[in-house]
Amino acid sequence: MNIVDRFIAYTKINTTTDREKGAAGIMPSSEGQRVLAKQLVQELEALGLTDIKLRDTAIVTATLPSNLDYDVPAVAFFGHLDTSAEQTNDTHAQILPYTGDDICMNKELGIYLRKSEFPELADYLGDDIIVTDGTSLLGADDKAAIASIMDMLQYFKQNPQIKHGTVKVGFVPDEEQGLRGAKVFDVKEFGADFAYTLDCCGIGELVYENWNAGDAEIVFTGKSAHPMSAKGKLKNSLLMAHKFIAMLPGGEAPEYTEGREGYYWVKQLSGNSARTVLKMDVRDFTETGYQSRMAFLKQLAEQCDALWGEGSVAISLADRYSNVFNSLQGKNGYPVDIAKAAYRACGIEPKVIPMRGGYDGAALSQNGLPCPNIFTGAHNFHSIYEYLPVKSLYAASDVLKNVVTLTASRFKPGV
């Protein structure tokens, strides 16, 4: 099966993450993820991989044994099974040629991928582009990764004369809910020495730096009263929450920041005059900046509690994941070097970017498996305008093949 057919087949399985079930601790949060996991197990078996495991959590792992007569570090590749909950409809993918005009995704609904909104389309003039009909996500985040990984495995199985070390693969659920699958992944049992996720961006982009990320939940407790006799009695928790938000640093929000600028994201506010809950995300690329932000929120909550009366404000802070950059320094820097060499072997100059988000590699790296992030070739993740140039999909798989062969040659005795 060619890589495009694989990808299209995977998009037909609805694997939308279920936030409610995820919040309840259920993994996988959606049955479609289990369906895809079972299909991948069947494909891995057909390819003749070994040590294939499907866990109750829908985590899938497998091994392509080395055909070398010397030892090299075992490399692993990861993709995630779920797609984001921004859209829940089934995907109807279509392959359209890009001729330079706006791409009509759905004539009946008037949905177009417009070059004025997405000028990077010009880079793919003459290429075929995979899009949806505008009623769903495409799911290249992260099914393009899964297709690339499976295509790479098929290549080595069909070409046994090509030398390679041990290659391991992992497919995990619920990445779109705080890297849940990667966080419970047993790195020690897996047995890889280094790894790559494919969960990023356009062709050539390479990530080995992302957020230090945390969560904040602030509970405001007021006093309810009937408005007819509320004077001096009503203590409105909703207004307390709004005043708290107004005291956050101006301009330090996602809509005002870029590059390596951190932020506070007011993400959810719910309640009534008696009790209101505010949920926030905290993000910063540096450890000191992250700790400073978390300390600021704690101090602000304590000061507001003193101002509005003891028991008025309670805050809970939790770490979500760390910057993967911290895990790819010194002796653990070689996965980045190999990735860059693999890009160049494919005629692709690496474009190193900081990732303003999280990916499974952050959790894996934190647990002892150094893990940069390779491109899938797709654009506009989490949007109905998500699209995947076909040549970029092939390029992603080619990079993986070169990572494997370069690992075999880099660690060859005497080299």
Side-chain angles (χ1 to χ4, degrees):
M1 183 185 298
N2 70 51
I3 191 171
V4 174
D5 291 340
R6 279 191 188 278
F7 172 69
I8 297 294
Y10 299 151
T11 66
K12 292 179 181 179
I13 303 172
N14 190 324
T15 62
T16 306
T17 197
D18 186 319
R19 288 173 177 163
E20 290 187 3
K21 290 183 178 179
I26 299 171
M27 187 183 302
S29 66
S30 57
E31 188 58 28
Q33 294 183 70
R34 194 180 302 280
V35 172
L36 178 55
K38 290 179 178 178
Q39 178 170 319
L40 292 173
V41 167
Q42 292 176 353
E43 294 180 13
L44 292 165
E45 290 173 343
L47 286 173
L49 266 70
T50 64
D51 197 26
I52 301 169
K53 295 180 182 178
L54 171 60
R55 294 154 183 83
D56 291 341
T57 55
I59 291 175
V60 177
T61 56
T63 301
L64 175 67
S66 172
N67 62 6
L68 299 173
D69 57 4
Y70 55 91
D71 292 332
V72 301
V75 59
F77 300 98
F78 285 86
H80 64 82
L81 301 166
D82 60 322
T83 56
S84 178
E86 271 77 9
Q87 300 285 334
T88 61
N89 294 333
D90 291 343
T91 297
H92 303 286
Q94 52 185 328
I95 305 173
L96 302 174
Y98 184 55
T99 60
D101 298 322
D102 294 341
I103 297 175
C104 180
M105 301 168 65
N106 192 315
K107 186 175 183 180
E108 182 178 336
L109 297 178
I111 301 174
Y112 288 81
L113 190 62
R114 300 189 185 278
K115 59 183 180 181
S116 60
E117 296 179 51
F118 307 106
E120 74 280 357
L121 279 168
D123 296 335
Y124 305 110
L125 184 63
D127 195 0
D128 288 334
I129 294 181
I130 309 173
V131 296
T132 72
D133 62 357
T135 64
S136 71
L137 306 181
L138 178 60
D141 176 16
D142 201 27
K143 290 168 182 171
I146 298 173
S148 296
I149 292 168
M150 297 298 292
D151 184 72
M152 174 271 298
L153 293 173
Q154 177 177 278
Y155 170 80
F156 285 111
K157 291 300 293 187
Q158 291 179 343
N159 296 277
Q161 76 281 3
I162 297 176
K163 297 301 182 182
H164 60 81
T166 298
V167 179
K168 292 180 172 287
V169 297
F171 303 110
V172 298
D174 294 318
E175 186 271 350
E176 301 291 357
Q177 295 194 63
L179 322 182
R180 293 181 66 228
K183 285 181 177 179
V184 302
F185 190 88
D186 192 333
V187 167
K188 186 175 182 180
E189 178 197 29
F190 190 49
D193 295 294
F194 68 110
Y196 301 91
T197 52
L198 288 83
D199 196 7
C200 174
C201 16
I203 185 171
E205 295 185 334
L206 173 64
V207 170
Y208 48 91
E209 183 178 3
N210 68 294
W211 294 125
N212 294 287
D215 305 320
E217 181 177 282
I218 305 99
V219 178
F220 302 88
T221 302
K223 293 180 181 179
S224 60
H226 195 286
M228 68 183 291
S229 57
K231 186 174 181 179
K233 300 175 183 177
L234 176 63
K235 187 175 177 181
N236 195 326
S237 71
L238 281 166
L239 294 181
M240 287 192 288
H242 282 284
K243 289 175 183 177
F244 184 93
I245 293 168
M247 287 186 275
L248 296 174
E252 296 187 21
E255 59 268 36
Y256 304 122
T257 54
E258 62 184 353
R260 288 179 173 81
E261 297 172 330
Y263 60 68
Y264 304 90
W265 184 10
V266 175
K267 198 169 185 180
Q268 183 178 334
L269 185 66
S270 60
N272 51 38
S273 61
R275 185 177 185 273
T276 298
V277 178
L278 169 64
K279 294 185 178 182
M280 297 176 57
D281 285 357
V282 181
R283 301 289 187 267
D284 204 287
F285 276 96
T286 69
E287 181 65 26
T288 55
Y290 170 70
Q291 294 298 340
S292 176
R293 290 181 184 279
M294 296 292 265
F296 169 78
L297 289 179
K298 184 175 185 294
Q299 183 181 41
L300 181 59
E302 290 172 348
Q303 291 174 342
C304 287
D305 186 60
L307 178 65
W308 296 328
E310 186 177 354
S312 297
V313 185
I315 187 169
S316 298
L317 299 171
D319 300 327
R320 183 176 290 190
Y321 52 79
S322 297
N323 190 340
V324 71
F325 183 81
N326 303 327
S327 301
L328 291 167
Q329 301 303 301
K331 66 178 183 180
N332 288 333
Y334 69 91
V336 173
D337 298 336
I338 291 174
K340 289 179 178 179
Y343 279 45
R344 293 187 176 110
C346 295
I348 302 169
E349 187 59 29
K351 303 172 187 175
V352 178
I353 62 169
M355 189 173 191
R356 291 177 63 83
Y359 69 98
D360 283 329
L364 295 168
S365 296
Q366 197 169 350
N367 289 332
L369 185 59
C371 191
N373 196 14
I374 291 173
F375 68 88
T376 61
H379 292 261
N380 302 333
F381 286 5
H382 298 196
S383 165
I384 62 170
Y385 300 107
E386 186 180 10
Y387 70 90
L388 176 62
V390 168
K391 289 181 181 177
S392 298
L393 179 60
Y394 276 99
S397 177
D398 288 343
V399 166
L400 303 194
K401 296 167 190 172
N402 275 287
V403 164
V404 173
T405 55
L406 284 168
T407 299
S409 59
R410 177 188 176 108
F411 293 95
K412 185 175 183 178
V415 173

